[in-house]
Amino acid sequence: MGLIHEIDYGTKASSNTKLVSLSIDGQTVSVPEGTSVMRAAMELGTQIPKLCATDMLDSFGSCRLCLVEIEGRAGTPASCTTPVAQGMVVHTQNAKLAKLRRGVMELYISDHPLDCLTCSANGNCELQDMAGAVGLREVRYGDEGANHLDSVADTSNPYFQFDPAKCIVCSRCVRACEEVQGTFALTIAGSGFGSKVSAGMDEAFFESECVSCGACVQACPTATLMEKSVIEMGQPEHSEVTTCAYCGVGCAFKAEMRGEEVVRMVPYKDGKANHGHSCIKGRFAWGYATHKDRITKPMIRAKITDPWREVSWEEAIAYTAAEFKRIQAKYGTDSIGGITSSRCTNEETYLIQKLVRAGFGNNNVDTCARVCHSPTGYGLKNTYGTSAGTQDFDSVDHADVILIIGANPTDGHPVFASRMKKRLREGAKLIVADPRRIDIIRTPHVEAQIHLPLQPGTNVAVVNALAHVIVTEGLVDEAFVRERCDMAEFVDWAEFIAQDRHSPETIEGLCGVPAKLIREAARLYATGGNGAIYYGLGVTEHSQGSTTVIAIANLAMATGNIGRPGVGVNPLRGQNNVQGACDMGSFPHEFTGYRHVSDEATRELFENTWGVALRGDPGLRIPNMIDAAMAGSFMGLYIQGEDIVQSDPDTKHMTAGLRAMECVVVQDLFLNESASFAHVFLPGSSFLEKDGTFTNAERRIQRVRKVMAPKNGYGDWEVTQLLANEMGMDMHYQHPSEIMDEIAAVTPTFADVSFAALDRLGSIQWPCNAQAPEGTPVMHIDHFVRGKGRFIVTDYVATDERTGARFPLLLTTGRILSQYNVGAQTRRTENVAWHEEDLLELHPHDAENRGIKDGDWVKLASRAGETTLRARITDRMALGVVYTTFHHPETQANVITTEFSDWATNCPEYKVTAVQISPSNGPTEWQVSYQKLSDDARRITAPAAE
Amino acid sequence: MSPDRHVYMANQIGKFFAHQREDIAVDEIADHIRSFWERRMLADIYAHLDKGGAGLDPRVILALRKLRAGTAVAP
């Protein structure tokens, strides 16, 4: 096993279907029209020397190293900027070219420190390689002249450094920041000899707009931009391709290793979700896996007020099983359950739900998708027939109008946001419906045509108004609707939506968006070409979350924006394996593949496979489990990889429910907030320590590959298996691939999925079966999965969470770029340098009215609870709306959020909480008492001496 | 488990189907509750129904009665 070296073709591939034949150094090659001579040569295996060219970027033609001769043409053109032509005869090497290249290299090296032996790029430096390739043997210019060798390195970024002394000003970093990331944080300042790479307005990298995606570091051909981990550890010696464990984009990375230590994570060019790009989290924030806070030994305690006691795996598993059996004997079969994790693999998730259904003998299994995208599952299944997004990410390259509703892709899904921004720079139009002026509304070379700054809680009213305009102004794609949808349901819906009460003019006072803007947005979406909708938790986390998903599905059907590239309904999934956790039967009412437990044929299939009778009635959802615990009938819970105390709403209710239970088992990397209420702690394994698969937001199943032994001794799937066997099951998987084989056998949409197929194809988008053996990038092409598309009436029902005299503001919560979910991982990395605390964003007028200045401590109170945090005053907030994140347990933003939830799925209404803010001098009583509880709960008794 | 909470949840479901003709809405409400509510939640709301069903919307009451009687038709 060595390092995976991806071929750099120098320039991008051409998508042209017409082939052109040419001769290069006497060999004939046929390539698509539009291909560069450099790339055509590389197709033959001929590496033309280059420095400024790389196939992640557009051709630039500045380094003058890739010169070639072409018969019949004058001079020595750059092969990176010269397209192939039919019959062209190219020579890549002769005495003249060799002399020219050596001359160019000599100039480069004349202003470069000759410290190769101690340089961090030694062994992986393109400049070094090119010096060798062109046969450079001397530099005639000496080192007395003007040079840049004394330039001072910028080490401000925690993850990489910029050493201008080593810079050859090839502009690859600047172009990567522009073309790949789309941030435009870098530029070449000055001119001529004074040219230099500059972050922002000649600022330190950390102080500039740089978002630390790492694209510049990846693009740099020298050690100018270099990961600090490489500087510290040296060059890696082997690598494995794996999948990021952060957001739902599912970026593929090469984990580059020395032994069992990660040296760096490098985005994999062949990754179909990320195409070689990354963000600050996946690229750099992996240090949590070896953080000192990690717990690697099992622990138990009789009461949650006791200190933890380290025990053997055997004792921990035996204790857990005994407790669960005792509870079931005392309170009944339905008194225990489990929660699967969107951060764990498909195989691990599948095993938990199998343990619950077949081992516990009930259907009390749920997953964290309950609190994020459960309405997506409900809404899209009922309208289209399947609980997933309709497109692949590449589809955005064909979109003409992008409608973002309740999503903040530059922070939540940054790698996909870069693709989206690229398409917008190419001319696609942008409509954003969001209470905040999120970054993508105005970012370099991108400006939304329309921003609908709606009041939180009015999504359905606004989407209905968009549909109203489309129906009443004759913008419906009637041919599509007639052919693809149920006409009777369409007629009912159209009659409903055409009612005046849904008009923009009627609802503008309600939603706060001028009617004119809504009409313009509807017309643009319906008539602007391919219309693609991307949405996030700003849609789902409402009391009408499912209704909004359905309304969005209606909108796409009415305009014919379904069933081809460039269109569709695209939920941006929050965590890395939310889609997979849902696919794997984590919901209490569904087996894998979204089949209801009451379906007898499906149940029989599982009964035959698992050899046990199964229940056909739905189990408890997470909030129902907590309610049942409070009522005394639900007493044991196995939580794998979730922190429901920090992530779920109404913290006081949640903690009261957990306190009421007799055996709470938490399996995690760290003693998270939920572990404070646990009786058993089972140490978890990181994504680097196990094999398996994740499924991203585009239904793409990708491999997770083990690069180091589990620090705790077991992969999470093995821990579940130990518990299952102790509970009396007969579970003996030798490898996660065997679990996937079982998933494929019982799940029609996964029928042809296997580790072997994934290794062969790289990744697979389900459905993957006899009809689609290599997967399905775009769904509903000829017909909807359910047959005819179903229009469903979506009446607007105001949330019962209302502002008033006591709580006059609306709080909405979300996340930011550098932190992830409850922060358990990112808070244990250098990412805290960007976001060390949760802040409350509020409009300047709301701040002024309350005497609050930027940076002040403020008390944030709702009828559910109160906390304190510091204020950030910004006019990107709408008047009357405040915003915060939930990344830090010291803040516990969810002590503020309420018990209101989506009517169909119980997904919490995180996005609408009536609050008041006031100046504060310090933490609330609740924060003080919670901190004490948290400290006490983490006490670990030292093991007794032998 | 709290009857108030289940009454609230059941009425929320009822509101989604409020535009439907009554017989269809009742079956839709019943089907939704059958599909997603665990047996303790059902037992709790039935107990509340037996005490008069205070706070429950009329269509929700009809739906719960049909569901318990096994006469609700899957839409």
Side-chain angles (χ1 to χ4, degrees), chain A residues 470-492:
Chain A
I470 287 164
V471 168
T472 57
E473 294 191 6
L475 305 179
V476 170
D477 184 339
E478 292 180 7
F480 179 90
V481 171
R482 197 174 301 112
E483 182 188 340
R484 301 287 304 277
C485 305
D486 184 301
M487 273 309 286
E489 284 162 341
F490 169 75
V491 169
D492 282 351

Side-chain angles (χ1 to χ4, degrees), chain A residues 802-817:
Chain A
R802 305 282 169 85
T803 55
R806 273 183 75 204
F807 302 113
L809 304 171
L810 284 179
L811 169 73
T812 179
T813 64
R815 68 192 202 200
I816 62 154
L817 172 65

Side-chain angles (χ1 to χ4, degrees), chain A residues 40 60 63 91 165 167 174 176 341 356 389 404 466 470 514-515 529 542-543 611 665 750 763 806 838 850 873-874:
Chain A
F60 197 53
C63 75
H91 300 285
C167 181
V174 175
S341 174
V356 171
I404 301 174
L466 293 170
I470 287 164
H542 288 272
S543 59
V665 180
F750 276 63
S763 64
R806 273 183 75 204
D838 294 318
R850 292 163 177 79
I873 298 171
T874 167

Side-chain angles (χ1 to χ4, degrees), chain A residues 707-730:
Chain A
V707 295
M708 61 179 72
K711 307 287 182 209
N712 57 333
Y714 292 111
D716 289 308
W717 64 276
E718 293 173 292
V719 175
T720 303
Q721 180 160 278
L722 288 170
L723 180 57
N725 287 329
E726 194 72 19
M727 291 292 292
M729 296 178 72
D730 186 22

Side-chain angles (χ1 to χ4, degrees), chain A residues 334 364 378 547 550 589 596 618-621 623-624 627 631 633 790 793 800 899-901 903-904 906, chain B residues 1-2 5-6 8-9 12-13 15-20 28 32-41:
Chain A
D334 295 345
N364 294 332
Y378 180 85
T547 315
I550 292 168
H589 65 286
H596 201 275
L620 293 167
R621 301 176 282 202
N624 314 142
D627 291 344
S633 68
R790 183 183 177 201
V793 168
D800 287 319
E899 78 285 5
F900 284 131
S901 65
W903 69 270
N906 273 164
Chain B
M1 301 179 92
S2 160
R5 183 161 168 78
H6 293 147
Y8 183 83
M9 286 168 59
Q12 264 190 304
I13 296 164
K15 283 177 187 164
F16 182 78
F17 298 107
H19 67 279
Q20 301 273 22
E28 292 274 13
H32 189 92
I33 291 174
R34 175 173 49 207
S35 298
F36 297 104
W37 283 35
E38 198 255 2
R39 62 172 185 80
R40 273 165 286 190
M41 299 163 70

Side-chain angles (χ1 to χ4, degrees), chain A residues 45-106:
Chain A
T46 300
Q47 290 178 279
I48 299 174
K50 64 179 181 60
L51 280 170
C52 72
T54 181
D55 58 13
M56 287 285 289
L57 303 173
D58 290 338
S59 303
F60 197 53
S62 78
C63 75
R64 315 312 297 170
L65 207 60
C66 70
L67 309 177
V68 293
E69 283 196 321
I70 299 171
E71 290 186 9
R73 295 196 188 184
T76 51
S79 61
C80 65
T81 53
T82 304
V84 295
Q86 182 63 36
M88 181 183 266
V89 179
V90 179
H91 300 285
T92 71
Q93 184 70 21
N94 57 34
K96 179 184 174 186
L97 291 169
K99 186 178 178 189
L100 280 170
R101 288 181 189 142
R102 270 198 295 273
V104 170
M105 275 307 295
E106 198 177 354

